[in-house]
Amino acid sequence: RALKEISNINPTKYAWLPELLWASTDFTDTLRDYLKGVVDARFERIRQGRDRTLDDNPPEEFAAMSHRVCYALAVMRIFASNTDIAPELCKDRMASYTWPILAVPTSAKAYWSMKLAAMTFFGTVLQHSKSDEIAFLFNGDRSFVPVFLQMMDERGLLRNVAVKVFARILQDPNAMAFIVQRTERIETVVIKLSACFEELFIHLALDDGLLIQSIRELLMCFSRLAENKWTALSLKEHLPTQIRHVDRYLSQLKRHPQLLEELLALRARLRRR
Protein backbone atom coordinates (compact mmCIF):
# COMPACT_ATOMS: atom_id res chain seq x y z
CA ARG A 1 0.00 0.00 0.00
CA ALA A 2 2.89 2.38 0.76
CA LEU A 3 4.32 1.83 -2.74
CA LYS A 4 0.92 2.58 -4.26
CA GLU A 5 0.56 5.85 -2.35
CA ILE A 6 4.08 7.01 -3.20
CA SER A 7 3.77 6.04 -6.87
CA ASN A 8 0.71 8.29 -7.25
CA ILE A 9 2.49 11.40 -5.95
CA ASN A 10 3.28 14.14 -8.47
CA PRO A 11 7.06 14.77 -8.16
CA THR A 12 6.76 18.25 -9.67
CA LYS A 13 4.33 19.25 -6.92
CA TYR A 14 6.46 17.67 -4.18
CA ALA A 15 9.94 18.32 -5.55
CA TRP A 16 11.57 17.50 -2.22
CA LEU A 17 10.12 13.98 -2.03
CA PRO A 18 12.42 12.05 -4.44
CA GLU A 19 15.60 13.14 -2.64
CA LEU A 20 14.03 12.40 0.75
CA LEU A 21 13.08 8.86 -0.33
CA TRP A 22 16.42 8.26 -2.05
CA ALA A 23 18.24 9.27 1.12
CA SER A 24 16.41 6.49 2.97
CA THR A 25 18.74 3.54 2.51
CA ASP A 26 16.21 1.12 3.97
CA PHE A 27 13.58 2.20 1.45
CA THR A 28 15.81 2.08 -1.63
CA ASP A 29 17.42 -1.23 -0.59
CA THR A 30 13.99 -2.80 -0.08
CA LEU A 31 12.79 -1.49 -3.43
CA ARG A 32 15.92 -2.71 -5.22
CA ASP A 33 15.82 -6.14 -3.56
CA TYR A 34 12.14 -6.60 -4.34
CA LEU A 35 12.48 -5.77 -8.03
CA LYS A 36 15.60 -7.86 -8.45
CA GLY A 37 13.98 -10.74 -6.58
CA VAL A 38 10.90 -10.72 -8.78
CA VAL A 39 12.99 -10.50 -11.93
CA ASP A 40 15.35 -13.31 -10.92
CA ALA A 41 12.72 -15.61 -9.44
CA ARG A 42 10.00 -15.16 -12.05
CA PHE A 43 10.78 -13.41 -15.32
CA GLU A 44 14.32 -14.66 -15.81
CA ARG A 45 13.36 -18.28 -15.19
CA ILE A 46 10.35 -17.97 -17.50
CA ARG A 47 12.47 -16.39 -20.24
CA GLN A 48 14.90 -19.29 -20.03
CA GLY A 49 12.07 -21.82 -20.15
CA ARG A 50 12.88 -23.14 -16.67
CA ASP A 51 9.59 -22.18 -15.03
CA ARG A 52 5.87 -21.97 -15.73
CA THR A 53 4.54 -18.74 -17.16
CA LEU A 54 3.13 -16.11 -14.87
CA ASP A 55 -0.29 -16.80 -16.38
CA ASP A 56 -0.20 -20.23 -14.72
CA ASN A 57 -0.07 -18.73 -11.25
CA PRO A 58 -3.27 -18.34 -9.22
CA PRO A 59 -5.06 -15.15 -10.43
CA GLU A 60 -4.95 -13.51 -7.01
CA GLU A 61 -1.23 -14.16 -6.63
CA PHE A 62 -0.41 -12.87 -10.09
CA ALA A 63 -2.56 -9.74 -9.72
CA ALA A 64 -0.93 -8.82 -6.41
CA MET A 65 2.57 -9.28 -7.83
CA SER A 66 1.73 -7.33 -11.00
CA HIS A 67 0.43 -4.39 -8.97
CA ARG A 68 3.49 -4.33 -6.71
CA VAL A 69 5.88 -4.44 -9.68
CA CYS A 70 4.02 -1.56 -11.38
CA TYR A 71 4.04 0.53 -8.21
CA ALA A 72 7.75 -0.16 -7.68
CA LEU A 73 8.58 0.86 -11.27
CA ALA A 74 6.47 4.01 -10.89
CA VAL A 75 8.53 4.97 -7.83
CA MET A 76 11.72 4.24 -9.77
CA ARG A 77 10.44 6.55 -12.47
CA ILE A 78 10.08 9.32 -9.89
CA PHE A 79 13.74 8.78 -9.00
CA ALA A 80 14.79 8.73 -12.67
CA SER A 81 13.04 12.04 -13.36
CA ASN A 82 15.24 13.80 -10.77
CA THR A 83 18.44 15.09 -12.40
CA ASP A 84 20.43 14.70 -9.18
CA ILE A 85 19.30 11.12 -8.51
CA ALA A 86 19.36 9.82 -12.11
CA PRO A 87 23.19 9.42 -12.22
CA GLU A 88 23.13 7.39 -8.98
CA LEU A 89 20.29 5.29 -10.36
CA CYS A 90 22.42 4.51 -13.40
CA LYS A 91 25.42 3.59 -11.24
CA ASP A 92 23.25 0.99 -9.52
CA ARG A 93 22.11 -0.21 -12.97
CA MET A 94 18.52 -0.37 -11.76
CA ALA A 95 17.19 0.11 -15.29
CA SER A 96 18.68 -3.26 -16.22
CA TYR A 97 16.12 -4.94 -13.92
CA THR A 98 13.46 -4.27 -16.54
CA TRP A 99 15.24 -6.28 -19.26
CA PRO A 100 13.76 -9.71 -18.42
CA ILE A 101 10.29 -8.17 -17.98
CA LEU A 102 10.39 -6.78 -21.52
CA ALA A 103 12.24 -9.78 -22.98
CA VAL A 104 9.57 -12.34 -22.01
CA PRO A 105 8.08 -13.20 -25.43
CA THR A 106 4.37 -12.94 -24.77
CA SER A 107 1.57 -10.57 -25.67
CA ALA A 108 -0.76 -11.94 -22.99
CA LYS A 109 -2.84 -9.22 -21.36
CA ALA A 110 -1.60 -10.32 -17.95
CA TYR A 111 1.83 -8.86 -18.76
CA TRP A 112 0.53 -5.66 -20.32
CA SER A 113 0.65 -3.33 -17.31
CA MET A 114 4.10 -4.49 -16.18
CA LYS A 115 5.60 -4.09 -19.65
CA LEU A 116 4.08 -0.63 -19.98
CA ALA A 117 5.44 0.41 -16.58
CA ALA A 118 8.89 -0.98 -17.47
CA MET A 119 9.01 0.89 -20.80
CA THR A 120 7.84 4.14 -19.24
CA PHE A 121 10.50 3.91 -16.53
CA PHE A 122 13.17 3.10 -19.13
CA GLY A 123 12.15 6.08 -21.26
CA THR A 124 12.45 8.38 -18.25
CA VAL A 125 15.96 7.06 -17.57
CA LEU A 126 16.96 7.89 -21.16
CA GLN A 127 15.46 11.36 -20.94
CA HIS A 128 17.27 12.40 -17.76
CA SER A 129 20.63 10.63 -18.07
CA LYS A 130 23.85 11.38 -19.95
CA SER A 131 25.09 9.07 -22.67
CA ASP A 132 28.12 7.81 -20.74
CA GLU A 133 25.89 6.95 -17.76
CA ILE A 134 23.63 4.62 -19.74
CA ALA A 135 26.12 2.96 -22.11
CA PHE A 136 25.60 -0.36 -20.28
CA LEU A 137 21.98 -0.44 -21.49
CA PHE A 138 23.00 -0.96 -25.11
CA ASN A 139 26.00 -3.28 -24.94
CA GLY A 140 26.36 -7.04 -24.89
CA ASP A 141 23.76 -9.80 -24.88
CA ARG A 142 21.40 -7.73 -22.73
CA SER A 143 21.19 -4.73 -25.00
CA PHE A 144 17.78 -3.08 -24.94
CA VAL A 145 17.88 -2.42 -28.71
CA PRO A 146 16.48 -5.84 -29.78
CA VAL A 147 14.09 -5.88 -26.83
CA PHE A 148 12.35 -2.69 -27.93
CA LEU A 149 12.29 -3.89 -31.54
CA GLN A 150 10.49 -6.98 -30.27
CA MET A 151 8.00 -4.76 -28.43
CA MET A 152 6.96 -3.22 -31.76
CA ASP A 153 5.15 -6.48 -32.51
CA GLU A 154 2.66 -5.53 -29.80
CA ARG A 155 -0.52 -3.57 -30.50
CA GLY A 156 -2.03 -0.33 -29.29
CA LEU A 157 -0.43 1.65 -26.50
CA LEU A 158 2.41 -0.83 -25.93
CA ARG A 159 3.60 -0.40 -29.51
CA ASN A 160 3.14 3.37 -29.38
CA VAL A 161 5.33 3.60 -26.28
CA ALA A 162 7.91 1.19 -27.75
CA VAL A 163 8.22 3.37 -30.86
CA LYS A 164 8.52 6.53 -28.76
CA VAL A 165 11.25 5.06 -26.56
CA PHE A 166 13.11 3.56 -29.52
CA ALA A 167 13.26 6.99 -31.18
CA ARG A 168 15.07 8.17 -28.04
CA ILE A 169 17.30 5.09 -28.01
CA LEU A 170 18.56 5.88 -31.52
CA GLN A 171 19.64 9.34 -30.38
CA ASP A 172 22.21 7.72 -28.10
CA PRO A 173 25.60 7.15 -29.78
CA ASN A 174 26.11 3.93 -27.79
CA ALA A 175 22.93 2.44 -29.25
CA MET A 176 23.94 3.41 -32.79
CA ALA A 177 27.40 1.95 -32.22
CA PHE A 178 25.81 -1.33 -31.12
CA ILE A 179 23.62 -1.44 -34.24
CA VAL A 180 26.34 -0.71 -36.81
CA GLN A 181 28.74 -3.29 -35.34
CA ARG A 182 27.06 -6.01 -37.43
CA THR A 183 25.29 -6.03 -40.78
CA GLU A 184 22.53 -8.30 -39.50
CA ARG A 185 21.74 -5.82 -36.71
CA ILE A 186 21.41 -3.00 -39.22
CA GLU A 187 19.12 -5.10 -41.40
CA THR A 188 17.01 -6.19 -38.43
CA VAL A 189 16.50 -2.62 -37.19
CA VAL A 190 15.69 -1.15 -40.60
CA ILE A 191 13.34 -3.96 -41.67
CA LYS A 192 11.46 -3.90 -38.36
CA LEU A 193 11.02 -0.12 -38.39
CA SER A 194 9.93 -0.15 -42.04
CA ALA A 195 7.37 -2.91 -41.42
CA CYS A 196 6.00 -1.04 -38.39
CA PHE A 197 5.73 2.17 -40.43
CA GLU A 198 3.85 0.46 -43.27
CA GLU A 199 1.43 -1.19 -40.87
CA LEU A 200 0.67 2.06 -39.06
CA PHE A 201 0.32 4.02 -42.29
CA ILE A 202 -2.45 1.69 -43.46
CA HIS A 203 -4.60 3.05 -40.60
CA LEU A 204 -3.80 6.71 -41.25
CA ALA A 205 -7.41 7.37 -42.27
CA LEU A 206 -8.50 6.71 -38.68
CA ASP A 207 -6.99 10.10 -37.84
CA ASP A 208 -5.83 8.73 -34.48
CA GLY A 209 -3.57 11.19 -32.69
CA LEU A 210 -1.36 8.55 -31.06
CA LEU A 211 -1.02 6.66 -34.34
CA ILE A 212 0.06 9.79 -36.21
CA GLN A 213 2.52 10.57 -33.43
CA SER A 214 4.01 7.09 -33.75
CA ILE A 215 4.37 7.54 -37.52
CA ARG A 216 6.24 10.80 -36.96
CA GLU A 217 8.48 9.18 -34.36
CA LEU A 218 9.31 6.43 -36.86
CA LEU A 219 10.28 9.18 -39.30
CA MET A 220 12.59 10.51 -36.59
CA CYS A 221 14.12 7.03 -36.43
CA PHE A 222 14.64 7.00 -40.20
CA SER A 223 16.20 10.46 -40.09
CA ARG A 224 18.63 9.29 -37.43
CA LEU A 225 19.53 6.19 -39.46
CA ALA A 226 20.07 8.38 -42.52
CA GLU A 227 22.97 10.09 -40.70
CA ASN A 228 25.11 6.95 -40.83
CA LYS A 229 26.54 5.63 -44.10
CA TRP A 230 25.76 1.95 -43.46
CA THR A 231 22.31 2.34 -41.94
CA ALA A 232 21.40 4.82 -44.70
CA LEU A 233 22.31 2.25 -47.38
CA SER A 234 20.10 -0.35 -45.73
CA LEU A 235 17.29 2.17 -45.30
CA LYS A 236 17.39 3.05 -49.01
CA GLU A 237 17.04 -0.65 -49.83
CA HIS A 238 14.17 -1.29 -47.38
CA LEU A 239 12.47 2.10 -47.48
CA PRO A 240 8.72 1.85 -46.83
CA THR A 241 6.59 2.01 -49.96
CA GLN A 242 4.70 5.05 -48.62
CA ILE A 243 7.97 7.01 -48.57
CA ARG A 244 9.57 5.61 -51.71
CA HIS A 245 6.39 6.29 -53.73
CA VAL A 246 4.87 9.06 -51.67
CA ASP A 247 3.17 10.54 -54.74
CA ARG A 248 0.78 7.59 -54.76
CA TYR A 249 -0.50 8.47 -51.29
CA LEU A 250 -1.18 12.19 -51.67
CA SER A 251 -4.93 11.73 -51.20
CA GLN A 252 -4.36 10.03 -47.83
CA LEU A 253 -1.86 12.68 -46.78
CA LYS A 254 -4.02 15.65 -47.78
CA ARG A 255 -5.25 16.05 -44.20
CA HIS A 256 -1.72 15.81 -42.83
CA PRO A 257 0.39 18.42 -44.67
CA GLN A 258 3.16 18.45 -42.06
CA LEU A 259 3.52 14.68 -42.26
CA LEU A 260 3.68 14.90 -46.06
CA GLU A 261 6.40 17.53 -45.78
CA GLU A 262 8.43 15.28 -43.47
CA LEU A 263 8.04 12.29 -45.82
CA LEU A 264 9.23 14.31 -48.81
CA ALA A 265 12.16 15.73 -46.86
CA LEU A 266 13.31 12.27 -45.78
CA ARG A 267 13.05 10.88 -49.30
CA ALA A 268 15.03 13.81 -50.71
CA ARG A 269 17.67 13.41 -48.04
CA LEU A 270 18.17 9.73 -48.82
CA ARG A 271 18.40 10.43 -52.55
CA ARG A 272 21.28 12.84 -51.90
CA ARG A 273 23.34 10.22 -50.04
Side-chain angles (χ1 to χ4, degrees), residues 163-164 208-218 220:
V163 169
K164 184 183 179 95
D208 183 298
L210 286 177
L211 182 143
I212 294 170
Q213 182 63 30
S214 291
I215 290 176
R216 297 188 67 187
E217 283 160 350
L218 285 168
M220 290 172 56

Side-chain angles (χ1 to χ4, degrees), residues 131-156:
S131 180
D132 60 321
E133 296 170 345
I134 56 175
F136 69 93
L137 296 174
F138 307 117
N139 298 320
D141 295 335
R142 292 205 164 204
S143 170
F144 278 83
V145 171
V147 168
F148 273 89
L149 285 177
Q150 174 184 298
M151 290 299 298
M152 290 184 197
D153 291 332
E154 302 286 353
R155 293 292 181 269

